[in-house]
Amino acid sequence: MTQTSAISDDAQQRVIAVVGNPNCGKSALFNALTGLRQKVANYPGATVERRTGELTGLSDFVLIDLPGTYSLTARSADEEVTREVVTGTHAVEARPDAIVSVVDATNLSQHLRFVLELRELGLPMVVALNMTDLAAREQIAIDAGALAAKLGVPVIETVAVRKKGLDELKDALSQAVLAPPPSPLDVGDSVRDRQRAARKIASSVTISEGIGHKTTRQLDRFLLNPVIGPITLFGLLFMMFQAVFSWAEAPMDLIEGGIGSLQSFFAGALPDGLILSFLNDGILAGVGAVVVFLPQILILFLFILVLESTGYMARAAFIMDRLMASVGLNGRAFIPLLSSFACAVPGIMAARSIANERDRLTTILISPLMTCSARLPVYTVIISAFIPNEDVSGFGLQGLVMFGLYITGIIAALVVAAVLKRTVAQGETDTFLLELPKYQSPNLRFVLIGLYERARIFLRRAGTIILVSTIVLWALAIYPVAPEGASEPDIAYSFVGMIGGALEVIFAPIGFNWEISVALVPGMAAREVAVAALGTVYSLSGSEEMIEAGLVSVLNSAWSLPTALSFLAWFIFAPQCLSTIAVTRRETGGWKWPGFMVAYLFALAYGASFITYQLASYMLA
Amino acid sequence: MNSSVSDSQLGRCSAGFSGVVTGFLSPSDIDGENRIDRLREMGFEEGLDVEILHHNPFGKDPIAVRIGSMTIALRRSEANLIEVSAA
C-alpha cells in the first residue's frame, strides 16, 4: 500500500482526478482502482480528506479522490476543493491530466448534467458508468456505446464494489491521456441548458427506464414514518450505547486478565526495583488501562460505519433537521456531530460539507461536547467503580448512567449552539437540502477495513502518545525519592506530588484530590490518558493488594461518591485533547476559535463539576 | 410570477401530493437565482414528476420529495420556489 503525494512526484506521473456527484460510488471506485484503504459512506460529504493513490498495475498514474459535488459552483468548503483542483486554481494541487467522471447508472440524466459541465473544462475524460449491477436489478438498460458517441469520450461500465470493468477503465485512461483533449460540446452554459441537454442525451441512450428502487421506498415508509421513524432512530442510538457496555464485557475481561497475569509474571521473574516498577507501574498499569477499552471503541465505530454505509445516516439527518433548526443549525450538522461520538477530529473535518460559514463554525465549536470514544475509558472506570451493576426495569443501571452522560453532552451542545447563533455566530440560517441515497446492505469488507483502521489508530496512540506520557509521568512520580522514614506514600514527595498539590488548590472546590489534578495534565494529550495516569499514580501510591485488585476497586475506596460524580461531570465538558485543538485551528484558520473553544469548555466543565460536587455532598451529608 | 390558477408551490402541499414541476418562481435577486440553480443541480426540472413522500415527524418541515429517480430532503421555504400542478 503506497500513499503518494501528487504534488511532489516526478514529472513522469500522470494525475487523474476522480470526480462525481455524492452517492455515485466514487469512493468505492477509487478504492477498487488504487487498493488504498478508504472509508466508504453513503452520505454527501463523506470524502473530506485529500486522498491519493497509485493506480494498481500502472504506477505512473496517480489518482486523486475529490469531494463529491453536484456542480462546479461550489457551495461548501469541500466542493470548493473540487472546483479549484479541476479548474487548475488550487493553491497546491496541480491541475489533473485527466478526469474520471463517475456516473450512477440508476440516475443517468441527473449525473450527466455534471458530466456536461466537466466536459467544458477541456480535459481528457473517461466516464465510469458505475453501479450497473443495481441498474440491471432495477431493469434499467443503457446503451453505453451510444452514450460515448454523444459525449465524445469513452464510457466504461463498472461495478466498483465488485471490481468489475476496472481493467477496461485503466486501458481507456492510459489512452485518453495520450490523445488530444476531446473537442468541446456546445450545450449552452446555464444550469438549465445543461439540464435539458442531459435529459435529451439520457433519454436517447436509455433502452429501458426501470422500475425504481422498491426496497428503498418500502423501507422509508417505516424509517421516515412520523411515529416509527423517530422511535427507530432513538432506539438505535440507545441500543448503540447499551451494546458498547454489554457486548464489550467479555473481551475486556480477557484483556484485563492478560495484563494482570503479565504483571504477576514480571513481579515473579524480576527483582524488586526500578525496572520492575517501570514495567508494571509505568507501562502495564498506564497503557494497559487504556488498551482494555479497545472493544468498546470498536463496537461504537461498528454502529457508525454500518449506519453510514447503509444510507441511513442521511435519514437521521432528515429526522433531526427540525430539532437542529430550533437551535439555528440544520440537519446536515447531525452527520459531523454523530461522527464526533467516535472522535471529534473526523467530526470537525466532516463539517466542511456545511455550506454556511457560521453554521460550520457553530458545528465545530460544539462537536467536542459529543462524548467521543476517548472519554469512554474515563466514564467506564468511574461507572464500574461507583454505580452498582443492577437492573432497572430491564436495563442495566450502568448503561443508563452512561446514556445519561451522553444525553447531557447533547443537551449542552444544543444550548451552546443556540447561544452561539445568537451571539458570535449570528446570521441567517442556511437551508437544508440533502439527497437521500438508496439503501444498500452494508459492505462487510469496508466495515471490517474501517474497524481495522480504527483499531490501528487507537493502538498506535496507545503505543506513542499514551506510552510516552505514561513514562514521563512515571518518572516524575518516582523522583525525587522520599526522605527516610517518611509518613506519606513515596509519590507524595515526588514532582507529581508537588504539581498535584499546587493544582489541588484550584480543583479542591470541585472535589478533585491531588491524584486527579495530576491526571488532568497528561489528559490534555489524549483524554484516555487521564485513566492511564490515574492507573500509574495509584499504582505507585498503593499497596500490592490494591494493585492486584485493579484500578476500579482502588478508585472505589479512594474517592467519595461526590468526587466521582464531579469527575464524570468534568469529562462531559472537559477541554478537549490537543489533536482537537489542532484540527480546530486548521479548520478555522487561526487561534481565535480554538482559544474560545478551550475557554468556554473549561468554564462549563468547572461550573458543572462545582455544582455536581456541592450538590452531591450536601445531599449525601 | 408566472403562476396560473391550477399552479401551486411545492412547499404548500402536504405529504402524499403527486404532480408535475411546472416551473420555478422568478428570482428577485442573485441569491434567488442561486437557490434555484441549486435546486436544479439537485435534480428539480420542469416536466418531471414530483411526489411528497414524507414530512419531518416534528412539525412537518422539512419534506422528503421524489423527483425523477432521486429522493431529496428539503425545507418547505426552499420547496416554495418550485411551482407544481397536481397530477
Side-chain angles (χ1 to χ4, degrees):
Chain A
M1 196 172 82
T2 47
Q3 185 147 8
T4 343
S5 157
I7 312 153
S8 57
D9 288 318
D10 55 302
Q12 295 301 306
Q13 277 192 318
R14 308 267 190 179
V15 180
I16 316 275
V18 186
V19 192
N21 281 15
N23 308 310
C24 65
K26 189 174 61 63
S27 296
L29 186 68
F30 176 80
N31 281 339
L33 284 170
T34 59
L36 221 175
R37 294 189 176 105
Q38 193 205 22
K39 199 172 70 167
V40 179
N42 249 341
Y43 61 83
T47 315
V48 290
E49 289 173 300
R50 174 180 182 273
R51 305 252 179 185
T52 60
E54 282 178 6
L55 200 54
T56 46
L58 286 171
S59 58
D60 50 343
F61 282 76
V62 174
L63 250 59
I64 171 162
D65 187 17
L66 293 177
T69 177
Y70 292 98
S71 79
L72 291 181
T73 311
R75 274 153 175 118
S76 65
D78 56 347
E79 293 178 3
E80 183 65 23
V81 172
T82 304
R83 193 190 63 79
E84 285 178 354
V85 172
V86 296
T87 55
T89 53
H90 195 270
V92 288
E93 203 79 63
R95 192 169 197 213
D97 296 295
I99 287 177
V100 177
S101 172
V102 190
V103 164
D104 174 1
T106 65
N107 199 0
L108 189 60
S109 72
Q110 160 68 12
H111 287 235
L112 277 185
R113 185 191 41 72
F114 188 41
V115 174
L116 291 176
E117 190 174 0
L118 291 171
R119 275 288 270 109
E120 283 163 33
L121 295 168
L123 286 171
M125 183 197 285
V126 175
V127 171
L129 188 60
N130 200 23
M131 306 208 205
T132 44
D133 57 334
L134 286 178
R137 209 175 306 157
E138 290 180 30
Q139 299 173 21
I140 296 170
I142 295 163
D143 185 343
L147 183 59
K150 292 271 183 196
L151 292 174
V153 294
V155 175
I156 312 294
E157 296 184 59
T158 57
V159 182
V161 287
R162 308 207 194 305
K163 303 199 167 198
K164 213 189 102 191
L166 299 187
D167 289 335
E168 294 85 338
L169 188 61
K170 286 179 198 171
D171 286 347
L173 271 174
S174 31
Q175 284 168 23
V177 289
L178 297 174
S183 49
L185 295 172
D186 186 26
V187 296
D189 38 45
S190 76
V191 182
R192 189 171 185 179
D193 292 337
R194 282 194 291 268
Q195 205 172 28
R196 273 196 194 142
R199 181 82 44 199
K200 215 172 128 194
I201 295 175
S203 62
S204 72
V205 301
T206 301
I207 303 161
S208 108
E209 282 279 1
I211 49 170
H213 201 250
K214 275 191 181 162
T215 323
T216 293
R217 299 192 67 175
Q218 281 161 354
L219 274 174
D220 272 343
R221 215 162 284 158
F222 284 99
L223 296 175
L224 296 183
N225 178 287
V227 182
I228 304 168
I231 293 176
T232 312
L233 175 59
F234 293 121
L236 264 174
L237 295 179
F238 187 76
M239 202 176 95
M240 178 164 119
F241 297 125
Q242 283 282 331
V244 160
F245 249 84
S246 51
W247 297 0
E249 222 172 270
M252 286 174 76
D253 287 347
L254 216 69
I255 297 175
E256 218 156 38
I259 292 165
S261 40
L262 258 182
Q263 280 175 318
S264 318
F265 169 77
F266 283 137
L270 294 169
D272 225 8
L274 265 188
I275 297 176
L276 178 65
S277 170
F278 175 73
L279 286 174
N280 274 1
D281 304 331
I283 296 179
L284 284 174
V287 176
V290 173
V291 169
V292 75
F293 297 101
L294 183 64
Q296 291 191 329
I297 285 160
L298 290 186
I299 290 169
L300 190 70
F301 270 106
L302 174 71
F303 272 86
I304 289 179
L305 285 169
V306 168
L307 289 185
E308 274 179 359
S309 70
T310 52
Y312 183 74
M313 211 64 124
R315 272 76 184 180
F318 173 71
I319 294 174
M320 294 305 284
D321 180 61
R322 189 70 203 176
L323 192 62
M324 307 292 257
S326 64
V327 296
L329 285 174
N330 83 47
R332 225 170 234 269
F334 181 71
I335 297 165
L337 290 180
L338 192 63
S339 308
S340 299
F341 281 112
C343 175
V345 172
I348 287 170
M349 285 170 55
R352 283 185 206 169
S353 66
I354 298 169
N356 184 292
E357 264 309 302
R358 288 174 300 260
D359 284 9
R360 192 169 79 94
L361 182 63
T362 310
T363 308
I364 289 174
L365 290 177
I366 64 171
S367 53
L369 286 170
M370 303 295 122
T371 304
C372 67
S373 51
R375 265 174 283 185
L376 263 182
V378 182
Y379 285 175
T380 313
V381 163
I382 308 301
I383 288 177
S384 312
F386 291 93
I387 308 296
N389 190 10
E390 290 168 0
D391 264 21
V392 179
S393 52
F395 297 111
L397 181 62
Q398 295 186 334
L400 282 175
V401 169
M402 179 72 93
F403 191 64
L405 291 169
Y406 276 81
I407 291 290
T408 312
I410 295 167
I411 293 171
L414 293 176
V415 172
V416 170
V419 171
L420 291 178
K421 287 295 285 185
R422 277 166 186 74
T423 52
V424 292
Q426 258 176 359
E428 215 175 294
T429 311
D430 197 27
T431 190
F432 174 68
L433 197 57
L434 185 70
E435 181 180 349
L436 304 182
K438 292 184 182 76
Y439 287 107
Q440 286 173 21
S441 48
N443 187 316
L444 184 70
R445 193 171 141 250
F446 284 113
V447 171
L448 288 181
I449 286 173
L451 286 180
Y452 166 77
E453 291 231 304
R454 287 299 145 190
R456 213 172 43 113
I457 292 167
F458 179 76
L459 291 177
R460 200 175 50 202
R461 267 158 72 98
T464 53
I465 302 177
I466 298 172
L467 181 66
V468 168
S469 10
T470 309
I471 292 172
V472 169
L473 190 75
W474 171 81
L476 291 177
I478 290 288
Y479 300 102
V481 185
E484 286 288 328
S487 53
E488 304 260 339
D490 291 359
I491 191 171
Y493 300 94
S494 68
F495 287 118
V496 160
M498 296 176 210
I499 298 168
L503 288 175
E504 198 185 358
V505 181
I506 306 170
F507 291 112
I510 62 174
F512 289 7
N513 54 25
W514 67 266
E515 289 95 338
I516 303 177
S517 308
V518 163
L520 293 181
V521 178
M524 281 293 285
R527 267 178 282 215
E528 59 269 42
V529 177
V531 172
L534 284 174
T536 302
V537 170
Y538 277 105
S539 180
L540 283 171
S541 55
S543 63
E544 284 300 320
E545 303 88 72
M546 275 172 82
I547 298 164
E548 270 166 33
L551 187 56
V552 166
S553 40
V554 170
L555 293 183
N556 189 293
S557 52
W559 291 7
S560 67
L561 185 59
T563 292
L565 295 177
S566 167
F567 192 67
L568 286 178
W570 173 268
F571 268 90
I572 296 176
F573 304 100
Q576 59 286 355
C577 61
L578 293 177
S579 7
T580 307
I581 298 170
V583 77
T584 305
R585 197 201 76 84
R586 203 181 68 202
E587 295 295 305
T588 58
W591 283 110
K592 182 184 167 194
W593 293 113
F596 175 81
M597 186 154 94
V598 172
Y600 101 79
L601 286 171
F602 188 89
L604 277 183
Y606 198 92
S609 293
F610 183 80
I611 293 168
T612 307
Y613 181 68
Q614 299 297 340
L615 210 65
S617 304
Y618 173 78
M619 285 167 67
L620 291 170
Chain B
M1 304 276 174
N2 54 358
S3 58
S4 66
V5 192
S6 65
D7 277 357
S8 164
Q9 289 161 296
L10 183 63
R12 295 177 190 275
C13 305
S14 18
F17 168 87
S18 169
V20 179
V21 176
T22 53
F24 296 85
L25 285 191
S26 331
S28 51
D29 53 10
I30 202 86
D31 177 57
E33 242 169 78
N34 253 322
R35 288 164 73 192
I36 289 170
D37 274 356
R38 183 67 169 157
L39 288 169
R40 285 188 185 278
E41 284 162 11
M42 298 292 286
F44 289 93
E45 186 182 356
E46 292 88 347
L48 285 189
D49 289 343
V50 62
E51 189 183 349
I52 301 184
L53 298 173
H54 310 280
H55 58 229
N56 185 279
F58 316 107
K60 304 193 173 181
D61 188 16
I63 50 178
V65 173
R66 186 183 63 78
I67 178 82
S69 57
M70 298 170 81
T71 309
I72 304 291
L74 74 171
R75 290 206 182 140
R76 285 182 185 274
S77 57
E78 221 62 21
N80 271 336
L81 299 172
I82 303 163
E83 293 175 329
V84 291
S85 75

